Amino acid sequence: MRGMSRRQFVSRMSAVAAGAALWSATAQDRALAATAARAVRIGGTTLEQAAMPVGNGPYKRLVAGPGWPLVVRGELAAAGSGRDDRRTGLASFVQFTDLHLADTESPVRFEYLAQYNDSAHRPQETLTVRGASSLVERVNAVRQGPYTGMPFGMVMATGDNTDNHELIELDWYLTVMSGGRITPSSGDPARYEGVQNSGSADYWNPESSFQDTYKAKALPQIPGFLSGAGRPFDAPGLSVPWYTTVGNHDDSIEGSLPDLGLLNDLYTGDRKIEGCDDATAAKLAYALRHDPAQAAILLGKLLANGGAIRRVTPDERRRPFTPAEFAKAHLNPAHTGAGPIGHGFTSDAASSGHLYYTFPLASGVLGISLDTTNRAGFADGSLGTAQLNWLESVLKSHSSRWYDTDGHVVRGGSSDSLIVLFSHHTSATMGNLLPDPYHPFEGRHDGNALVALLQRYPNVVAWVNGHTHENRILPHGHAVPERAFWEINTASHVDYPQHARIIEMADNGDGTLSLFTTLIESAAPYTTDFADTSDRGLAALYRELSYNDPYATPAVKLGTSLDHNTELLLAHPGK
């Protein structure tokens, strides 16, 4: 599709939806009409429709609400007139992020900390695997970018693909992406052994009439929910190539504690903590954020004599994986799916555990996937010196000119590629400079250092990331347009709004580029039925329950219209 202008493409497409929208007189409808008129097609995206909560009670049902318009952002370059007719598509791809495919029956979970950390227990978390598969269905159905019409070249999952870096969670992730039969349950496949049938008032017990604190907030009783959640199903797998970026939940215990191999027996054992007193919970929640060593001590005390212990079926598949095993699993031919082999990882990565790489995103566009995790623990990340030096060498080799640290132009590389960077962490969440226990003498570098490096290379156009579970889009480099780029941060697919994002790059033919960022939801229906525990019914409940999680903050995670469906302008570095 590259080389075909938008005008040529649109001449072959129907514009019925755009024409119908023009009749409305409201500001929103006018914006939506303009959005539709500029798009090749909007079907299956939040340009067409988006989930909307309704109802006056504490539990909100979701329905199909109106679509969200395109917002043009010109902080880094002016929006020239007539660019739609001159536009040529350069790249079209999809970002998944923070799928958090969770083994909810694992002994190494901290559900009893939900009042202090909203990610410790979510009422919808038994459905993560089905929800992710429904998102794959959406991508397979949409197939192309709404503004360039280019078919998706790939999907990139920007980290926290697993929730607790267990082998079984990794197998679920790889099967969701590549396709195959999945049983989203661990331990005894014939029964659920987690907190949601514990009889504790601290958790949502969906199949029971017991009045827990979640039902007090009007979460429903759903007979057959847990058995349906653990039922085997066939995941279709992506129909386009896909790549993986690593996140802190793929790297450490619950994304917070350093994995030094000390808790492996607990992972694969038969004791699961389901509760503790509030004072201990508060101390443990604080330690997980600020003092991993103290957290490990408190956890040991709870296992010895301080918590409500449940016996569960041991499962060796719960063992945590190493970075090298993470890469090796991607190389398994059973998980090649639509390709490429290894999904970015090579046999060298499987030997070294170095989980950063480059790949051809599109013709003339280079993708760079970074590993921003810090194995010292804590949720936030940073870059080691070796990786930062590697990144600079890659940038130099794909740039004919760049700026040195004093701002002087340097000429070097033989070619200019447009560059899109991928990582799990954002520029604002890369402040974890603790020494990596596996490379204790290597320096660590924060988000400011990475931004400064990227701004020295004019052909870096975007940095795409996750981690925050929020939709946020930030411009970098207002003062010098040639050295500017956009940072595109997308919400998770475990917490509401459960978004993924289509990103398209286009040459406007006037010295500027446009990056279109269009949010999509899963293929699940908006309307739920508490008696429907089919695969589609459970996927719909996954979305609705995420909105109604009592500890969640959906309005914050949703972001604003500036973070949703946007056209991001910037100067074309080669023009």
Side-chain angles (χ1 to χ4, degrees):
M1 195 65 65
R2 183 177 176 165
M4 181 180 290
S5 73
R6 183 185 179 281
R7 172 178 284 175
Q8 292 170 313
F9 190 90
V10 171
S11 68
R12 304 179 189 182
M13 304 296 291
S14 169
V16 174
L22 291 170
W23 290 100
S24 175
T26 68
Q28 182 183 38
D29 285 341
R30 285 197 299 272
L32 286 169
T35 292
R38 297 185 61 201
V40 171
R41 72 175 191 183
I42 63 174
T45 74
T46 58
L47 295 164
E48 177 188 41
Q49 60 183 7
M52 183 176 72
V54 296
N56 297 320
Y59 186 93
K60 299 293 190 292
R61 307 307 291 265
L62 296 182
V63 299
W68 296 337
L70 179 73
V71 175
V72 179
R73 295 190 58 175
E75 293 100 312
L76 300 181
S81 61
R83 64 190 184 283
D84 286 344
D85 294 328
R86 295 188 301 271
R87 177 171 296 130
T88 300
L90 302 177
S92 174
F93 61 94
V94 179
Q95 178 202 12
F96 288 179
T97 196
D98 296 86
L99 298 173
H100 284 276
L101 303 190
D103 173 15
T104 61
E105 298 165 281
S106 171
V108 184
R109 285 180 59 81
F110 308 120
E111 295 102 337
Y112 43 93
L113 304 183
Q115 61 181 312
Y116 305 102
N117 182 348
D118 66 350
S119 66
H121 173 61
R122 302 171 172 100
Q124 73 275 12
E125 63 193 11
T126 52
L127 301 176
T128 53
V129 180
R130 268 191 177 75
S133 186
S134 183
L135 181 61
V136 166
E137 291 180 39
R138 173 66 75 195
V139 171
N140 289 346
V142 174
R143 298 192 308 278
Q144 65 186 45
Y147 288 98
T148 64
M150 293 182 68
F152 300 142
M154 63 100 183
V155 171
M156 170 61 84
T158 54
D160 284 5
N161 314 292
T162 66
D163 189 63
N164 205 8
H165 90 131
E166 297 180 12
L167 286 168
I168 191 169
E169 293 174 339
L170 179 56
D171 184 70
W172 293 340
Y173 164 70
L174 295 171
T175 307
V176 162
M177 300 291 273
S178 59
R181 188 75 168 170
I182 302 180
T183 301
S185 175
S186 65
D188 185 345
R191 58 177 180 164
Y192 171 80
E193 299 175 298
V195 299
Q196 289 191 295
N197 67 355
S198 64
S200 169
D202 292 333
Y203 311 113
W204 181 49
N205 292 253
E207 294 187 341
S208 167
S209 60
F210 173 68
Q211 289 302 298
D212 52 58
T213 56
Y214 286 79
K215 293 198 187 74
K217 297 180 185 297
L219 267 72
Q221 179 182 354
I222 304 179
F225 178 88
L226 295 174
S227 55
R231 184 178 62 235
F233 73 99
D234 293 310
L238 285 162
S239 60
V240 297
W242 55 273
Y243 295 83
T244 296
T245 295
V246 66
N248 55 295
H249 277 260
D250 304 313
D251 180 75
S252 55
I253 300 166
E254 284 289 298
S256 301
L257 292 176
D259 182 8
L260 304 177
L262 301 178
L263 297 183
N264 284 8
D265 289 344
L266 178 58
Y267 267 101
T268 59
D270 66 350
R271 292 182 298 163
K272 178 177 175 62
I273 302 171
E274 292 194 333
C276 65
D277 62 272
D278 286 347
T280 302
K283 290 178 182 178
L284 181 55
Y286 179 85
L288 285 170
R289 293 179 180 272
H290 304 286
D291 188 348
Q294 180 64 17
I297 293 171
L298 288 170
L299 189 60
K301 290 181 177 179
L302 282 175
L303 284 167
N305 55 21
I309 305 296
R310 175 177 184 161
R311 295 286 177 174
V312 299
T313 304
D315 195 331
E316 286 296 320
R317 297 174 299 168
R318 293 181 179 137
R319 181 176 63 80
F321 51 79
T322 66
E325 289 174 324
F326 185 73
K328 183 178 180 180
H330 283 75
L331 288 158
N332 185 335
H335 297 311
T336 298
I341 295 171
H343 307 289
F345 301 117
T346 63
S347 56
D348 287 343
S351 299
S352 67
H354 292 163
L355 303 182
Y356 45 90
Y357 59 89
T358 66
F359 65 100
L361 197 159
S363 178
V365 184
L366 179 72
I368 303 177
S369 176
L370 298 180
D371 176 3
T372 54
T373 65
N374 187 337
R375 299 182 75 189
F378 296 118
D380 286 355
S382 55
L383 284 182
T385 298
Q387 186 177 177
L388 191 70
N389 291 340
W390 169 85
L391 173 60
E392 183 161 17
S393 71
V394 169
L395 296 174
K396 285 180 178 178
S397 67
H398 289 84
S399 306
S400 61
R401 63 185 177 86
W402 61 87
Y403 295 88
D404 64 21
T405 54
D406 295 321
H408 301 124
V409 174
V410 179
R411 300 193 179 275
S414 60
S415 65
D416 275 314
S417 298
L418 298 175
I419 294 174
V420 179
L421 202 73
F422 298 90
S423 73
H424 180 62
H425 293 92
T426 67
S427 59
T429 58
M430 287 180 60
N432 180 1
L433 302 183
L434 289 173
D436 178 347
Y438 293 90
H439 301 92
F441 302 110
E442 182 183 30
R444 305 293 298 185
H445 305 271
D446 65 12
N448 292 328
L450 182 53
V451 168
L453 175 62
L454 298 179
Q455 286 188 299
R456 290 171 47 205
Y457 293 84
N459 46 333
V460 173
V461 297
W463 177 8
V464 180
N465 47 42
H467 186 61
T468 66
H469 294 211
E470 299 178 9
N471 289 313
R472 291 286 181 269
I473 299 177
L474 301 172
H476 289 282
H478 301 75
V480 185
E482 189 185 41
R483 300 172 67 175
F485 67 89
W486 288 94
E487 182 173 355
I488 302 167
N489 184 213
T490 303
S492 75
H493 209 260
V494 64
D495 292 317
Y496 190 84
Q498 295 187 342
H499 284 153
R501 197 185 292 270
I502 299 169
I503 300 176
E504 301 167 87
M505 185 188 304
D507 184 342
N508 293 323
D510 60 1
T512 66
L513 295 173
S514 286
L515 300 173
F516 292 95
T517 71
T518 305
L519 294 171
I520 55 173
E521 301 166 308
S522 79
Y526 292 109
T527 304
T528 60
D529 178 351
F530 297 151
D532 181 7
T533 57
S534 67
D535 290 343
R536 279 176 58 81
L538 291 171
L541 283 167
Y542 181 55
R543 182 193 292 128
E544 187 170 278
L545 289 168
S546 74
Y547 183 86
N548 288 281
D549 179 354
Y551 297 111
T553 54
V556 173
K557 291 177 168 60
L558 185 63
T560 73
S561 60
L562 296 176
D563 311 302
H564 295 165
N565 302 328
T566 70
E567 180 186 4
L568 310 175
L569 277 295
L570 73 163
H572 194 311
K575 301 295 176 68

